[in-house]
Amino acid sequence: MTPVLLASALFLLVTLGYIGLCAGSPFGDCRKCRGIGHAVKTDRKGRMKRGKDCRRCKATGKRIRVGRHLCNVAARLHRDGTR
């Protein structure tokens, strides 16, 4: 098998896997708060303490995946164009 064919097959496999992931689980953990929904701080004694709510995910701990966002944009564009 030639390297170009192998690379294109691997790229196709990764792309289809990501499309399946976006279809099955459209939301992933927030990268800023790591899915917790808020910051974690320590007090003066070193104990863990809840910090401020995450502004990026609005304290849900979840974010929409890039592939799912692109799919939603394409669907909205098609729906608006066929009205």
Side-chain angles (χ1 to χ4, degrees):
M1 195 185 289
T2 64
V4 173
L5 188 60
L6 183 65
S8 62
L10 182 64
F11 178 73
L12 182 65
L13 182 69
V14 168
T15 303
L16 290 176
Y18 185 69
I19 289 171
L21 177 69
C22 289
S25 176
F27 295 99
D29 289 338
C30 176
R31 290 185 291 262
K32 186 174 181 183
C33 65
R34 296 186 199 115
I36 298 174
H38 56 82
V40 178
K41 298 168 68 176
T42 56
D43 60 1
R44 285 190 249 171
K45 294 181 181 178
R47 292 182 294 203
M48 300 302 275
K49 182 179 168 186
R50 181 185 164 110
K52 292 182 179 180
D53 287 342
C54 179
R55 293 188 305 173
R56 182 178 290 176
C57 65
K58 298 182 180 84
T60 61
K62 296 293 179 184
R63 63 165 178 87
I64 193 160
R65 295 186 193 275
V66 174
R68 185 61 184 210
H69 177 72
L70 292 175
C71 180
N72 290 347
V73 168
R76 189 178 309 122
L77 182 66
H78 176 72
R79 187 175 51 243
D80 292 343
T82 56
R83 280 190 196 173

